[in-house]
Every structure is written in C-alpha cells, then in structure tokens.
mmCIF file of all heavy atoms in Angstrom:
data_model
loop_
_atom_site.group_PDB
_atom_site.id
_atom_site.type_symbol
_atom_site.label_atom_id
_atom_site.label_comp_id
_atom_site.label_asym_id
_atom_site.label_seq_id
_atom_site.Cartn_x
_atom_site.Cartn_y
_atom_site.Cartn_z
ATOM 1 N N SER A 1 7.144 91.882 -69.431
ATOM 2 C CA SER A 1 6.340 92.024 -70.643
ATOM 3 C C SER A 1 4.910 92.534 -70.189
ATOM 4 O O SER A 1 4.564 92.438 -69.079
ATOM 5 C CB SER A 1 6.182 90.685 -71.380
ATOM 6 O OG SER A 1 5.470 89.759 -70.507
ATOM 7 N N ALA A 2 4.267 93.156 -71.162
ATOM 8 C CA ALA A 2 2.948 93.683 -70.894
ATOM 9 C C ALA A 2 2.070 93.429 -72.081
ATOM 10 O O ALA A 2 2.487 93.535 -73.196
ATOM 11 C CB ALA A 2 3.046 95.191 -70.639
ATOM 12 N N SER A 3 0.802 93.048 -71.806
ATOM 13 C CA SER A 3 -0.182 92.873 -72.896
ATOM 14 C C SER A 3 -1.374 93.750 -72.542
ATOM 15 O O SER A 3 -1.287 94.666 -71.720
ATOM 16 C CB SER A 3 -0.497 91.398 -73.004
ATOM 17 O OG SER A 3 -1.248 90.926 -71.886
ATOM 18 N N ASP A 4 -2.496 93.427 -73.127
ATOM 19 C CA ASP A 4 -3.688 94.236 -72.916
ATOM 20 C C ASP A 4 -4.155 94.254 -71.486
ATOM 21 O O ASP A 4 -4.591 95.278 -70.982
ATOM 22 C CB ASP A 4 -4.835 93.785 -73.849
ATOM 23 C CG ASP A 4 -4.490 94.074 -75.311
ATOM 24 O OD1 ASP A 4 -3.685 94.988 -75.574
ATOM 25 O OD2 ASP A 4 -5.056 93.382 -76.181
ATOM 26 N N GLU A 5 -4.127 93.114 -70.832
ATOM 27 C CA GLU A 5 -4.761 93.022 -69.511
ATOM 28 C C GLU A 5 -3.835 92.529 -68.401
ATOM 29 O O GLU A 5 -4.180 92.598 -67.237
ATOM 30 C CB GLU A 5 -5.978 92.093 -69.550
ATOM 31 C CG GLU A 5 -7.090 92.599 -70.374
ATOM 32 C CD GLU A 5 -8.344 91.738 -70.297
ATOM 33 O OE1 GLU A 5 -8.252 90.666 -69.620
ATOM 34 O OE2 GLU A 5 -9.335 92.095 -70.893
ATOM 35 N N HIS A 6 -2.621 92.092 -68.731
ATOM 36 C CA HIS A 6 -1.767 91.631 -67.652
ATOM 37 C C HIS A 6 -0.244 92.034 -67.890
ATOM 38 O O HIS A 6 0.105 92.171 -69.056
ATOM 39 C CB HIS A 6 -1.896 90.149 -67.355
ATOM 40 C CG HIS A 6 -1.275 89.269 -68.327
ATOM 41 N ND1 HIS A 6 -1.845 88.878 -69.489
ATOM 42 C CD2 HIS A 6 -0.087 88.619 -68.341
ATOM 43 C CE1 HIS A 6 -1.081 88.064 -70.178
ATOM 44 N NE2 HIS A 6 0.006 87.894 -69.451
ATOM 45 N N VAL A 7 0.439 92.130 -66.820
ATOM 46 C CA VAL A 7 1.874 92.491 -66.833
ATOM 47 C C VAL A 7 2.644 91.436 -66.124
ATOM 48 O O VAL A 7 2.267 91.037 -64.999
ATOM 49 C CB VAL A 7 2.054 93.865 -66.146
ATOM 50 C CG1 VAL A 7 3.520 94.331 -66.234
ATOM 51 C CG2 VAL A 7 1.190 94.932 -66.723
ATOM 52 N N ARG A 8 3.742 90.973 -66.725
ATOM 53 C CA ARG A 8 4.627 90.003 -66.054
ATOM 54 C C ARG A 8 5.775 90.861 -65.455
ATOM 55 O O ARG A 8 6.428 91.613 -66.149
ATOM 56 C CB ARG A 8 5.159 88.977 -67.070
ATOM 57 C CG ARG A 8 4.113 88.016 -67.504
ATOM 58 C CD ARG A 8 4.666 86.931 -68.361
ATOM 59 N NE ARG A 8 5.605 86.172 -67.522
ATOM 60 C CZ ARG A 8 6.686 85.528 -67.989
ATOM 61 N NH1 ARG A 8 6.943 85.608 -69.258
ATOM 62 N NH2 ARG A 8 7.410 84.821 -67.233
ATOM 63 N N ILE A 9 6.042 90.599 -64.175
ATOM 64 C CA ILE A 9 6.985 91.365 -63.420
ATOM 65 C C ILE A 9 7.979 90.465 -62.707
ATOM 66 O O ILE A 9 7.604 89.449 -62.123
ATOM 67 C CB ILE A 9 6.256 92.277 -62.389
ATOM 68 C CG1 ILE A 9 5.327 93.180 -63.122
ATOM 69 C CG2 ILE A 9 7.269 93.047 -61.574
ATOM 70 C CD1 ILE A 9 4.381 93.951 -62.237
ATOM 71 N N LYS A 10 9.238 90.857 -62.801
ATOM 72 C CA LYS A 10 10.289 90.122 -62.028
ATOM 73 C C LYS A 10 10.617 90.851 -60.747
ATOM 74 O O LYS A 10 10.898 92.052 -60.774
ATOM 75 C CB LYS A 10 11.576 89.976 -62.885
ATOM 76 C CG LYS A 10 12.724 89.257 -62.185
ATOM 77 C CD LYS A 10 13.886 89.031 -63.040
ATOM 78 C CE LYS A 10 14.598 90.344 -63.296
ATOM 79 N NZ LYS A 10 15.895 90.228 -63.953
ATOM 80 N N ILE A 11 10.450 90.198 -59.644
ATOM 81 C CA ILE A 11 10.781 90.671 -58.355
ATOM 82 C C ILE A 11 11.984 89.956 -57.811
ATOM 83 O O ILE A 11 12.010 88.701 -57.817
ATOM 84 C CB ILE A 11 9.594 90.534 -57.385
ATOM 85 C CG1 ILE A 11 8.393 91.326 -57.886
ATOM 86 C CG2 ILE A 11 9.951 90.951 -55.959
ATOM 87 C CD1 ILE A 11 7.190 91.105 -57.025
ATOM 88 N N VAL A 12 12.978 90.663 -57.322
ATOM 89 C CA VAL A 12 14.146 90.034 -56.735
ATOM 90 C C VAL A 12 14.020 90.244 -55.175
ATOM 91 O O VAL A 12 13.984 91.352 -54.691
ATOM 92 C CB VAL A 12 15.429 90.668 -57.273
ATOM 93 C CG1 VAL A 12 16.656 90.002 -56.554
ATOM 94 C CG2 VAL A 12 15.549 90.518 -58.705
ATOM 95 N N GLN A 13 13.883 89.111 -54.462
ATOM 96 C CA GLN A 13 13.860 89.181 -53.031
ATOM 97 C C GLN A 13 15.227 88.920 -52.458
ATOM 98 O O GLN A 13 15.829 87.914 -52.820
ATOM 99 C CB GLN A 13 12.853 88.139 -52.505
ATOM 100 C CG GLN A 13 11.449 88.480 -52.697
ATOM 101 C CD GLN A 13 10.525 87.467 -51.981
ATOM 102 O OE1 GLN A 13 10.740 86.264 -52.050
ATOM 103 N NE2 GLN A 13 9.531 87.990 -51.261
ATOM 104 N N HIS A 14 15.660 89.771 -51.607
ATOM 105 C CA HIS A 14 17.008 89.676 -51.025
ATOM 106 C C HIS A 14 16.780 89.189 -49.575
ATOM 107 O O HIS A 14 15.886 89.585 -48.935
ATOM 108 C CB HIS A 14 17.747 90.967 -51.088
ATOM 109 C CG HIS A 14 17.988 91.464 -52.444
ATOM 110 N ND1 HIS A 14 18.950 90.945 -53.252
ATOM 111 C CD2 HIS A 14 17.383 92.453 -53.116
ATOM 112 C CE1 HIS A 14 18.903 91.603 -54.395
ATOM 113 N NE2 HIS A 14 17.996 92.555 -54.369
ATOM 114 N N SER A 15 17.795 88.442 -49.094
ATOM 115 C CA SER A 15 17.740 88.068 -47.715
ATOM 116 C C SER A 15 18.067 89.310 -46.895
ATOM 117 O O SER A 15 18.548 90.295 -47.415
ATOM 118 C CB SER A 15 18.705 86.943 -47.391
ATOM 119 O OG SER A 15 20.069 87.374 -47.613
ATOM 120 N N SER A 16 17.882 89.254 -45.583
ATOM 121 C CA SER A 16 18.073 90.435 -44.761
ATOM 122 C C SER A 16 19.512 90.855 -44.704
ATOM 123 O O SER A 16 19.856 92.019 -44.418
ATOM 124 C CB SER A 16 17.566 90.191 -43.332
ATOM 125 O OG SER A 16 18.271 89.088 -42.785
ATOM 126 N N CYS A 17 20.429 90.018 -45.040
ATOM 127 C CA CYS A 17 21.873 90.415 -45.027
ATOM 128 C C CYS A 17 22.413 90.739 -46.350
ATOM 129 O O CYS A 17 23.646 90.939 -46.523
ATOM 130 C CB CYS A 17 22.694 89.304 -44.343
ATOM 131 S SG CYS A 17 22.645 87.731 -45.161
ATOM 132 N N ALA A 18 21.557 90.839 -47.371
ATOM 133 C CA ALA A 18 22.051 91.149 -48.707
ATOM 134 C C ALA A 18 22.690 92.521 -48.843
ATOM 135 O O ALA A 18 23.484 92.777 -49.700
ATOM 136 C CB ALA A 18 20.927 90.975 -49.726
ATOM 137 N N SER A 19 22.277 93.462 -47.967
ATOM 138 C CA SER A 19 22.853 94.797 -48.025
ATOM 139 C C SER A 19 24.151 94.879 -47.304
ATOM 140 O O SER A 19 24.780 95.950 -47.314
ATOM 141 C CB SER A 19 21.830 95.789 -47.395
ATOM 142 O OG SER A 19 21.612 95.434 -46.037
ATOM 143 N N CYS A 20 24.631 93.850 -46.654
ATOM 144 C CA CYS A 20 25.855 93.812 -45.917
ATOM 145 C C CYS A 20 27.069 93.963 -46.923
ATOM 146 O O CYS A 20 27.003 93.416 -48.019
ATOM 147 C CB CYS A 20 25.975 92.557 -45.103
ATOM 148 S SG CYS A 20 27.473 92.352 -44.184
ATOM 149 N N GLN A 21 28.099 94.599 -46.486
ATOM 150 C CA GLN A 21 29.252 94.857 -47.363
ATOM 151 C C GLN A 21 30.017 93.600 -47.664
ATOM 152 O O GLN A 21 30.713 93.518 -48.684
ATOM 153 C CB GLN A 21 30.121 95.920 -46.703
ATOM 154 C CG GLN A 21 29.543 97.267 -46.692
ATOM 155 C CD GLN A 21 30.379 98.246 -45.976
ATOM 156 O OE1 GLN A 21 31.403 97.908 -45.389
ATOM 157 N NE2 GLN A 21 30.050 99.519 -46.013
ATOM 158 N N VAL A 22 29.982 92.612 -46.784
ATOM 159 C CA VAL A 22 30.746 91.385 -47.024
ATOM 160 C C VAL A 22 29.875 90.240 -47.583
ATOM 161 O O VAL A 22 30.244 89.080 -47.586
ATOM 162 C CB VAL A 22 31.478 90.859 -45.698
ATOM 163 C CG1 VAL A 22 32.532 91.871 -45.360
ATOM 164 C CG2 VAL A 22 30.480 90.620 -44.577
ATOM 165 N N SER A 23 28.685 90.570 -47.995
ATOM 166 C CA SER A 23 27.725 89.552 -48.466
ATOM 167 C C SER A 23 28.231 88.787 -49.702
ATOM 168 O O SER A 23 27.907 87.663 -49.964
ATOM 169 C CB SER A 23 26.345 90.089 -48.737
ATOM 170 O OG SER A 23 26.417 91.038 -49.808
ATOM 171 N N SER A 24 29.130 89.439 -50.551
ATOM 172 C CA SER A 24 29.614 88.727 -51.702
ATOM 173 C C SER A 24 30.548 87.612 -51.283
ATOM 174 O O SER A 24 30.736 86.661 -52.053
ATOM 175 C CB SER A 24 30.335 89.730 -52.542
ATOM 176 O OG SER A 24 31.519 90.229 -51.873
ATOM 177 N N ARG A 25 31.105 87.656 -50.123
ATOM 178 C CA ARG A 25 31.992 86.589 -49.653
ATOM 179 C C ARG A 25 31.303 85.590 -48.632
ATOM 180 O O ARG A 25 31.865 84.616 -48.263
ATOM 181 C CB ARG A 25 33.281 87.190 -48.980
ATOM 182 C CG ARG A 25 34.097 87.960 -49.950
ATOM 183 C CD ARG A 25 35.307 88.541 -49.244
ATOM 184 N NE ARG A 25 35.993 89.460 -50.152
ATOM 185 C CZ ARG A 25 35.784 90.779 -50.184
ATOM 186 N NH1 ARG A 25 34.944 91.305 -49.376
ATOM 187 N NH2 ARG A 25 36.459 91.538 -51.044
ATOM 188 N N CYS A 26 30.142 85.941 -48.289
ATOM 189 C CA CYS A 26 29.423 85.184 -47.307
ATOM 190 C C CYS A 26 28.547 84.132 -48.000
ATOM 191 O O CYS A 26 27.899 84.413 -48.953
ATOM 192 C CB CYS A 26 28.573 86.096 -46.466
ATOM 193 S SG CYS A 26 27.566 85.303 -45.205
ATOM 194 N N GLN A 27 28.509 82.986 -47.436
ATOM 195 C CA GLN A 27 27.655 81.855 -48.044
ATOM 196 C C GLN A 27 26.226 81.946 -47.533
ATOM 197 O O GLN A 27 25.363 81.262 -48.119
ATOM 198 C CB GLN A 27 28.247 80.499 -47.622
ATOM 199 C CG GLN A 27 29.634 80.259 -48.134
ATOM 200 C CD GLN A 27 29.737 80.290 -49.656
ATOM 201 O OE1 GLN A 27 28.871 79.779 -50.301
ATOM 202 N NE2 GLN A 27 30.798 80.817 -50.225
ATOM 203 N N LEU A 28 25.946 82.806 -46.582
ATOM 204 C CA LEU A 28 24.574 82.893 -46.043
ATOM 205 C C LEU A 28 23.638 83.787 -46.796
ATOM 206 O O LEU A 28 22.455 83.673 -46.784
ATOM 207 C CB LEU A 28 24.609 83.278 -44.580
ATOM 208 C CG LEU A 28 25.397 82.326 -43.623
ATOM 209 C CD1 LEU A 28 25.423 82.932 -42.207
ATOM 210 C CD2 LEU A 28 24.679 81.012 -43.577
ATOM 211 N N SER A 29 24.264 84.752 -47.534
ATOM 212 C CA SER A 29 23.415 85.749 -48.272
ATOM 213 C C SER A 29 22.848 85.115 -49.482
ATOM 214 O O SER A 29 23.484 84.316 -50.104
ATOM 215 C CB SER A 29 24.165 86.950 -48.590
ATOM 216 O OG SER A 29 25.162 86.707 -49.475
ATOM 217 N N GLU A 30 21.599 85.393 -49.816
ATOM 218 C CA GLU A 30 20.960 84.830 -50.978
ATOM 219 C C GLU A 30 19.894 85.792 -51.507
ATOM 220 O O GLU A 30 19.447 86.694 -50.850
ATOM 221 C CB GLU A 30 20.313 83.484 -50.663
ATOM 222 C CG GLU A 30 19.170 83.595 -49.709
ATOM 223 C CD GLU A 30 18.520 82.256 -49.399
ATOM 224 O OE1 GLU A 30 19.272 81.309 -49.156
ATOM 225 O OE2 GLU A 30 17.264 82.225 -49.414
ATOM 226 N N SER A 31 19.593 85.622 -52.702
ATOM 227 C CA SER A 31 18.461 86.365 -53.310
ATOM 228 C C SER A 31 17.740 85.499 -54.243
ATOM 229 O O SER A 31 18.287 84.534 -54.814
ATOM 230 C CB SER A 31 18.982 87.594 -54.075
ATOM 231 O OG SER A 31 19.779 87.233 -55.172
ATOM 232 N N LYS A 32 16.347 85.676 -54.340
ATOM 233 C CA LYS A 32 15.530 84.839 -55.196
ATOM 234 C C LYS A 32 14.809 85.685 -56.174
ATOM 235 O O LYS A 32 14.330 86.776 -55.819
ATOM 236 C CB LYS A 32 14.552 84.077 -54.328
ATOM 237 C CG LYS A 32 15.142 83.058 -53.365
ATOM 238 C CD LYS A 32 14.088 82.416 -52.578
ATOM 239 C CE LYS A 32 14.677 81.452 -51.541
ATOM 240 N NZ LYS A 32 13.620 80.898 -50.694
ATOM 241 N N GLU A 33 14.696 85.257 -57.421
ATOM 242 C CA GLU A 33 13.914 85.937 -58.383
ATOM 243 C C GLU A 33 12.542 85.316 -58.515
ATOM 244 O O GLU A 33 12.424 84.057 -58.509
ATOM 245 C CB GLU A 33 14.594 85.890 -59.719
ATOM 246 C CG GLU A 33 15.765 86.742 -59.852
ATOM 247 C CD GLU A 33 16.301 86.811 -61.272
ATOM 248 O OE1 GLU A 33 15.710 86.143 -62.181
ATOM 249 O OE2 GLU A 33 17.301 87.495 -61.532
#
C-alpha cells in the first residue's frame, strides 16, 4: 500500500538454499516474509 508519505512493502527473505532444485522436498529451506 502507499499513502502520501509512506509505503508498506513486503519483502520475502529466502535462505541460502532456497534456490536449490530439491528445496521443495528439503526441510532445511525456509523463507520469511
């Protein structure tokens, strides 16, 4: 959202292994909003 003076932004932080091809099956990968 955006108003006159400030903007609310969602940032998704991925762990270092989030780009790995098997991360969907791995319990160690995580991401935080």
Side-chain angles (χ1 to χ4, degrees):
S1 64
S3 67
D4 293 336
E5 293 184 358
H6 75 277
V7 182
R8 290 188 63 212
I9 300 168
K10 177 176 72 170
I11 296 174
V12 179
Q13 285 186 317
H14 299 286
S15 66
S16 60
C17 59
S19 61
C20 179
Q21 293 176 350
V22 294
S23 64
S24 63
R25 294 181 190 94
C26 179
Q27 299 297 323
L28 298 176
S29 65
E30 64 179 48
S31 63
K32 296 179 184 176
E33 286 186 2

